Amino acid sequence: MLDFFAIFSKGGIVLWCFQGAGVSESFTGPVNALIRSVILQERTGNNSFNHNALNLKYKLDNEFELVFVVGFQKILTLTYVDKFIDDVQLHFRDRYKNELEQRGALKFLLNNFEFGEDFHNLLREAEDRSKAKGPVPMKNFKESQKSQKTVKSMIETKDGDKSKEQGGKKSKNAKKEGVSGGDQTKAASQTVSKKTVENGSDGLTAEEIIERNRAKFISKQLGGGKPDKTTSKSPKPQKPKGKANRVWDMGGRNTGELDYSGSNGNNYSDAQTQDHDASAEPLIQVDSMKGDLRGVDYESSDDDDEDEDEEVEEERVVVPDTNKKGAKKGGFGGMFGMLKGLVGSKNLTQDDMEPVLDKMRDHLIAKNVAAEISSQLCESVAKKLEGKVMGTFTTVASTVKQALQDSLVQILQPKRRVDILRDVLDARAQRKPFVITFCGVNGVGKSTNLAKISYWLIENGFSVLIAACDTFRAGAVEQLRTHQRRLNALHPPEKHAGRPAVQLFEKGYGKDAAGIAMEAIAFARNQGFEVVLIDTAGRMQDNAPLMTALAKLIAVNTPDLVLFVGEALVGNEAVDQLVKFNQALADHSKTDKPRLIDGIVLTKFDTIDDKVGAAISMTYITGQPIVFVGTGQTYSDLRSLNARAVVSALMKA
Amino acid sequence: MDEKIHQDLEDFSAEQLLESFIKEIQKEEVVFLIGICVALALVILTVVFFGNFWSSSKARNAVLLLGLCDSGKTLLFTRLLLGKFARTQTSITESSATYKSKNDRGSSWTLIDVPGHESLRVSILEKYKAVARAVVFVVDSSVFQKDVRDVAEFLYSILTDGTVAKNSPALVVACNKQDISMAKSAKLIQQQLEKELNTLRLTRSAALSSQDGSVGGSVYLGKRGKDFEFSQLPGRVEFIECSARGSKAEDGDIAGIDALEKSLARL
């Protein structure tokens, strides 16, 4: 009934495989999908995976670097599969222990792993076992666990009721002393039901119950109440007497400073002063953003980063050498054998890793990684390391930390090519505009980062059209218009073949955003703009009508890139936002291959110090890369993500 | 008599010296002795492994098999080492083995198969790029037209890496899967890659000309002002066609990797 079973090494060589009768297609496709989506995305905590009509279960053997995968039809619910995989794994290891303990990758190729007979035997056993257990009959009350419990454990009380509880107990015991064994009716109203239940419990007569309760009661009185009971109530805070006058900083001193009407008001007509301001801006350096974006870095210069990489490399080269040395030494004579035994190679078990993983989980949460993501990550690392043989001179903590660091870097590495400039060049060659849409919740920095990205694109010689599809927020269109003016002032049209570098396409407020976007794209195609940046209104992920509107905009206009803008300050909310945004986009699209979020823009990165966990949460949930990182509020504060720097900041104590 | 006394004295003193030495040792505590032995062992250990480390860092003797996912690296690895066919899946970790090259000198080096998956290739490449003597870049010739950008980007990131540019290992581009009828020829692949790398040069390193090379420390490929060609690279570059699977069915033993083996023999 199994479709296939495969045993292969982590290096990729299939050691043995079995294909069920009547199964024509090879299992390579589903297994590759399993590897990509589960193992390589660090979701190994959950050990089953669905691919089309197949359900795949797998098990990693970290000591010998093997993977065991079984696949069966999703509609069959086979209960014996989990235990079956474990049995097969143990059996395979025992049988081929010698071959597997050789060193090097050639062991997988040179040896012939014939496993067919054993496999069929194990399969037959497992099937028989599952058939033997018939349907389970329902338990009656006496066998249930509830009858075993005392009434006390089932009472849910808040702290304040403890005193009442004590009092109630006292009265109940007093009553019980006066009452003979089987008399159930004389009881306080509160205790009637409890008594009947208690007397119904198995094997204990009423007297024994009384004794037990009395003992409990006495121990409770003697053992002392909880410490917070003794301090009855916190002392009332001293209320300040009377009312103090509120003191304002600029209190009525100089109202002239507060008058902004002269210099900056009425922007519409002050185009010239605007341009002067912009060109006199000392902080903006034109031509500083050509080419690819610099990475976000934590060290002061890239040289430090390179040195660190070299050191890390040296460490890595050194450790395998010490492994070799340790093994060699173990061969010479008894004294060195004792040494090897002291530091020796042992397998990692779940218990060994438990305390370290707990600490790591708390550390990650302290660094602003979402709580469920931290626990999933730690589970995945535990699965990857279980049974692995530690090298000499390495502690459990260092192995776990290294594994966690590797998996974090792996998560942050983009799974596809992230090169916006290259794609825009392609679109230019095809004479159609490259459309980027920005979506996100309120206040994360969509408009600001849109302006930064258009500055970067202009620096690299592309012409940009900004589509103001935020028709809701007051001042959204004006904000974009101001950005357009400043950008044009910084890049005068003379340098861009006589046409303005950036133009704004807007239709005022209150209109349908999807319609404006479609018109903007048509306009760009006619006028030969190379990039269209669509700014949408911020919306909460729970707001169903707004999410529908966004999904419609994306489904109708099919942009080349859908970027989700998220701020780095967000904590557990990131998970919810991304899941709901993706859900809405998938639900409301009419095609069977819906356009989901393609990339993430991480904003306000300069406000978090080293609590960079939001990057991990977002990439883990969507599997999409972080395309831009916003590190400030001026035009040049745009970077690309440097995975190593972020992970080192994350793992720093 | 005096001589005899002297002789006796000498014998006596030598023996007594030895005995007294042994007694001295035995008088000391066992822990102290073990401490001395452990210290000695550690000193020997450090000296030996430093010597090994020092010598190994001088020799670059690894050949890396790089390429996109599903380009046939693991099968090529198996073919080169043993000449036989093995079913393969996506690799999760790297595999390394010693390869005896088929030239007169009979030199041998380490052949390392690096997983092609995007999230793994960078970190594993970091580990082995310093000891790389040659890079075999495996390309899937049948789907090359679709993947040309990804292939070029990977190749670009390898060639502009600081360590790789400094060591300039030999580059062999193996256009694999020639047994499929839609496979492109090596010449076509070379031309397309040159064009693509030319464009990438512009988009990736235009920043270099305005800021003096402090951006990422990356390298400018080829010569400025002229279109990029592989002949402009400092190391040796070769494009060869091969087929790891072979013209026969799955279990066929004949594979078209002769050209690849000859090229590797020349290293």
Side-chain angles (χ1 to χ4, degrees), chain A residues 132-146:
Chain A
K133 292 187 281 187
V136 183
M138 243 180 63
K139 303 187 273 203
N140 57 3
F141 179 69
K142 287 224 175 1
E143 295 170 16
S144 75
Q145 272 190 336
K146 187 166 183 183

Side-chain angles (χ1 to χ4, degrees), chain A residues 10 12 14 32 109 422 426, chain B residues 84 89-90 92 149 196:
Chain A
K10 281 191 181 175
V14 175
N32 277 342
L109 296 169
R422 184 76 194 80
D426 251 1
Chain B
K84 67 175 197 180
Q89 299 286 149
T90 310
I92 309 174
R149 265 175 270 153
E196 194 60 32

Side-chain angles (χ1 to χ4, degrees), chain B:
Chain B
M1 221 171 63
D2 289 71
E3 288 175 352
K4 215 177 164 208
I5 295 174
H6 274 303
Q7 248 185 357
D8 282 338
L9 267 174
E10 271 178 83
D11 288 340
F12 183 65
S13 61
E15 278 177 14
Q16 199 181 37
L17 259 168
L18 204 61
E19 278 178 19
S20 65
F21 185 60
I22 292 176
K23 273 197 203 126
E24 283 285 326
I25 293 181
Q26 284 173 345
K27 256 196 273 170
E28 300 287 12
E29 292 169 4
V30 186
V31 178
F32 188 52
L33 281 178
I34 291 187
I36 293 183
C37 292
V38 170
L40 268 175
L42 278 175
V43 167
I44 299 175
L45 207 102
T46 16
V47 165
V48 174
F49 94 64
F50 260 125
N52 198 20
F53 165 55
W54 192 47
S55 65
S56 80
S57 71
K58 296 216 159 169
R60 292 185 293 128
N61 57 354
V63 174
L64 306 181
L65 279 175
L66 297 167
L68 291 185
C69 246
D70 211 25
S71 50
K73 299 181 290 297
T74 309
L75 186 55
L76 207 58
F77 180 76
T78 320
R79 284 286 193 201
L80 282 173
L81 286 174
L82 296 175
K84 67 175 197 180
F85 175 87
R87 284 188 83 158
T88 57
Q89 299 286 149
T90 310
S91 316
I92 309 174
T93 60
E94 76 274 20
S95 335
S96 67
T98 327
Y99 174 72
K100 264 183 97 43
S101 72
K102 296 182 171 50
N103 59 10
D104 311 321
R105 283 171 296 159
S107 50
S108 68
W109 2 267
T110 325
L111 192 61
I112 303 180
D113 168 31
V114 177
H117 193 90
E118 293 79 6
S119 33
L120 294 171
R121 57 165 87 138
V122 177
S123 46
I124 299 185
L125 189 56
E126 289 282 312
K127 268 200 284 183
Y128 292 107
K129 62 184 182 181
V131 296
R133 179 170 159 173
V135 169
V136 178
F137 192 82
V138 186
V139 177
D140 185 345
S141 319
S142 56
V143 295
F144 179 70
Q145 283 295 99
K146 219 170 14 112
D147 291 341
V148 62
R149 265 175 270 153
D150 296 325
V151 172
E153 197 230 9
F154 190 14
L155 193 55
Y156 184 86
S157 61
I158 298 172
L159 290 174
T160 53
D161 183 83
T163 322
V164 172
K166 200 163 44 119
N167 297 338
S168 53
L171 176 68
V172 177
V173 179
C175 307
N176 200 9
K177 304 204 185 173
Q178 290 290 326
D179 51 297
I180 302 180
S181 50
M182 294 291 297
K184 305 280 179 293
S185 68
K187 210 162 162 45
L188 183 67
I189 292 181
Q190 176 170 0
Q191 283 170 353
Q192 297 241 331
L193 278 177
E194 282 177 352
K195 246 193 299 182
E196 194 60 32
L197 285 171
N198 200 20
T199 324
L200 275 179
R201 260 194 331 184
L202 269 154
T203 58
R204 290 297 190 90
S205 64
L208 274 180
S209 44
S210 54
Q211 290 167 301
D212 38 86
S214 61
V215 177
S218 56
V219 166
Y220 193 79
L221 280 186
K223 299 194 177 43
R224 283 166 210 264
K226 285 209 284 192
D227 278 347
F228 174 75
E229 278 173 34
F230 278 105
S231 47
Q232 297 168 1
L233 288 176
R236 206 182 63 186
V237 181
E238 264 182 68
F239 276 78
I240 51 176
E241 301 182 357
C242 67
S243 162
R245 178 168 287 193
S247 47
K248 293 203 174 170
E250 266 190 18
D251 298 320
D253 284 330
I254 304 175
I257 56 171
D258 305 324
L260 181 59
E261 287 179 341
K262 281 204 202 82
S263 158
L264 285 175
R266 269 178 291 191
L267 279 175

Side-chain angles (χ1 to χ4, degrees), chain A residues 146-183:
Chain A
K146 187 166 183 183
S147 58
Q148 310 282 358
K149 287 200 233 180
T150 66
V151 177
K152 187 78 172 84
S153 64
M154 290 195 285
I155 299 171
E156 280 180 11
T157 56
K158 298 195 275 280
D159 275 340
D161 291 343
K162 275 279 161 63
S163 49
K164 252 199 289 183
E165 188 51 49
Q166 291 269 21
K169 254 338 211 119
K170 223 169 160 181
S171 61
K172 179 171 153 196
N173 278 342
K175 289 242 163 53
K176 274 203 177 158
E177 278 180 278
V179 163
S180 62
D183 200 358

Side-chain angles (χ1 to χ4, degrees), chain A residues 254-272:
Chain A
N254 200 350
T255 49
E257 291 172 24
L258 297 174
D259 182 4
Y260 290 114
S261 53
S263 50
N264 299 341
N266 294 345
N267 292 338
Y268 253 66
S269 46
D270 276 344
Q272 282 154 339

Side-chain angles (χ1 to χ4, degrees), chain A residues 56-205:
Chain A
L56 293 162
K57 284 201 194 278
Y58 65 93
K59 192 155 169 56
L60 297 173
D61 180 343
N62 298 309
E63 188 181 345
F64 298 126
E65 310 261 303
L66 302 172
V67 184
F68 296 78
V69 181
V70 66
F72 50 94
Q73 292 293 324
K74 202 165 34 179
I75 45 179
L76 302 172
T77 47
L78 299 174
T79 48
Y80 57 80
V81 176
D82 288 316
K83 191 162 183 319
F84 176 61
I85 289 195
D86 292 338
D87 288 340
V88 169
Q89 184 206 4
L90 290 170
H91 210 94
F92 190 83
R93 281 167 58 116
D94 290 332
R95 183 162 163 193
Y96 291 107
K97 208 175 181 51
N98 293 333
E99 285 92 335
L100 289 173
E101 272 177 355
Q102 297 167 16
R103 284 175 164 268
L106 283 176
K107 63 186 178 192
F108 297 122
L109 296 169
L110 290 171
N111 298 310
N112 193 10
F113 295 89
E114 257 314 309
F115 199 60
E117 272 192 38
D118 295 344
F119 175 78
H120 285 293
N121 290 340
L122 285 169
L123 184 59
R124 228 175 303 134
E125 278 174 38
E127 285 177 352
D128 292 339
R129 245 197 323 246
S130 75
K131 275 191 216 125
K133 292 187 281 187
V136 183
M138 243 180 63
K139 303 187 273 203
N140 57 3
F141 179 69
K142 287 224 175 1
E143 295 170 16
S144 75
Q145 272 190 336
K146 187 166 183 183
S147 58
Q148 310 282 358
K149 287 200 233 180
T150 66
V151 177
K152 187 78 172 84
S153 64
M154 290 195 285
I155 299 171
E156 280 180 11
T157 56
K158 298 195 275 280
D159 275 340
D161 291 343
K162 275 279 161 63
S163 49
K164 252 199 289 183
E165 188 51 49
Q166 291 269 21
K169 254 338 211 119
K170 223 169 160 181
S171 61
K172 179 171 153 196
N173 278 342
K175 289 242 163 53
K176 274 203 177 158
E177 278 180 278
V179 163
S180 62
D183 200 358
Q184 304 173 14
T185 51
K186 288 192 202 160
S189 56
Q190 162 189 22
T191 58
V192 149
S193 49
K194 295 181 209 160
K195 266 191 90 173
T196 47
V197 167
E198 246 185 282
N199 285 344
S201 61
D202 285 349
L204 295 171
T205 62

